[in-house]
Amino acid sequence: MKGFDARWKDFPDYILGITAEIWEGRETGPRMKAYYAPEVIVRVPGGVSVGESAATRATIATLNEFPDRTLLGEDVIWSGTPEDGMLSSHRILSQATHAGDGIFGRATGTKITWRAIADCFAKDNQISDEWLVRDNGAVVRQLGLSPEDWARARVAAGEGGAPFTPARDIEGPYTGRGNDHPTGARLADILTRIMGAEFSVIPAAYDRASQLDYPGGVRTHGHAAADRFWLALRAAFPSALFTVEHVIGRDDPMMPPRAAVRWSLYGTHDGWGGFGAPSGAEVHVMGITHAEFGPWGLRREWTLYDETAIWTQIALHQG
């Protein structure tokens, strides 16, 4: 781990360790400044921010709203080298109590569980580029709201912000595309074929008993459930451009072959699907998919996108 503190035994240990220190250890002062580059770029479906101070403010605001948040690192799928820099795709299961006021409204005392996946580029002990997708749909549903109603209320209150789109992106230090591992290529091919309306790839490539975790905190299983999820997304944006942004595949001891693919869907909301009547809104979907493979195909999948960011873009278009 050249350039990193000697206490980190490997890159996943670094990612898991600094996450615990910042969020659960409340190291939002000097340690945050040490771990995040002064001009770090953080992209989320709801917008883009620049600078360690902006990242620290966002962290403190989330801690105020969910002060007892526990972040369980389910996996770190990564590529690169310490010399050139490394990209981690870190899947996190969070458990917390909605105990403070914030973007999700007045404190309710509700106990909530949700996932996030963060793609982070790190070199010389600092993160300088980040792409983060949080399952806000799961959060608002557990607070008794629908993602559509929550997004429309925020837009009506003038709080819709400027959702992330390619036009709002900022070029950062990381320009890599991942690695050329065959498991990453396999997952990227499956997603590309699905988004190319080749839905027959699902029974061909997925384990019949596959476990599937989808936006909204949904856990389901099997071919029919995968078909329903992906068909609803593609049907809502039938003319949108699907792009594979980043691909990682890995084989690690005591782990099945697995992959992380960051992707985007960008275009017009011009179809009936998972987001209601066609609105004509220009919508950008930032998505990340993790998958594990077994002897009968894709056996576990975790796909995240932020439903509230999609509904926000639709609401902003409609006024």
Side-chain angles (χ1 to χ4, degrees), residues 215-230:
V218 171
R219 169 165 287 182
T220 186
H221 301 81
H223 294 164
D227 180 86
R228 187 70 195 126
F229 168 75
W230 287 108

Side-chain angles (χ1 to χ4, degrees), residues 32-216:
M32 189 91 173
K33 293 181 185 297
Y35 293 140
Y36 280 83
E39 299 301 317
V40 60
I41 302 167
V42 180
R43 305 160 189 83
V44 298
V48 58
S49 67
V50 179
E52 173 274 323
S53 60
T56 298
R57 288 196 301 270
T59 300
I60 292 172
T62 301
L63 283 172
N64 175 70
E65 200 163 8
F66 301 100
D68 63 346
R69 182 182 178 188
T70 300
L71 291 84
L72 305 176
E74 294 183 319
D75 200 2
V76 179
I77 303 173
W78 62 279
S79 61
T81 66
E83 292 77 14
D84 298 327
M86 295 175 286
L87 192 290
S88 69
S89 196
H90 178 198
R91 192 177 72 249
I92 305 159
L93 184 71
S94 290
Q95 298 173 321
T97 306
H98 184 221
D101 300 344
I103 65 167
F104 295 108
R106 295 288 186 180
T108 62
T110 305
K111 293 190 178 299
I112 298 174
T113 300
W114 73 92
R115 274 194 177 83
I117 301 178
D119 281 15
C120 296
F121 173 65
K123 185 179 180 182
D124 296 328
N125 217 51
Q126 281 195 326
I127 292 170
S128 55
D129 252 349
E130 182 171 352
W131 295 258
L132 171 64
V133 179
R134 180 171 65 183
D135 190 1
N136 285 333
V139 176
V140 299
R141 280 187 173 88
Q142 290 169 83
L143 294 175
L145 303 170
S146 76
E148 179 182 5
D149 290 344
W150 182 83
R152 290 190 184 280
R154 282 182 57 80
V155 170
E159 299 172 347
F164 180 82
T165 66
R168 295 191 175 104
D169 197 7
I170 300 169
E171 185 175 351
Y174 183 71
T175 58
R177 300 280 294 179
N179 62 22
D180 59 359
H181 191 281
T183 304
R186 184 179 183 183
L187 179 58
D189 178 67
I190 291 170
L191 297 178
T192 300
R193 291 167 67 186
I194 289 173
M195 287 290 100
E198 190 183 340
F199 296 101
S200 60
V201 73
I202 291 172
Y206 281 61
D207 189 319
R208 189 166 173 268
S210 54
Q211 176 182 298
L212 314 165
D213 286 85
Y214 289 141

Side-chain angles (χ1 to χ4, degrees), residues 36 51 142 145 185 212 242 248 258 263 302:
Y36 280 83
Q142 290 169 83
L145 303 170
L212 314 165
F242 175 75
I248 304 173
R258 65 204 200 283
W263 50 269
W302 298 263

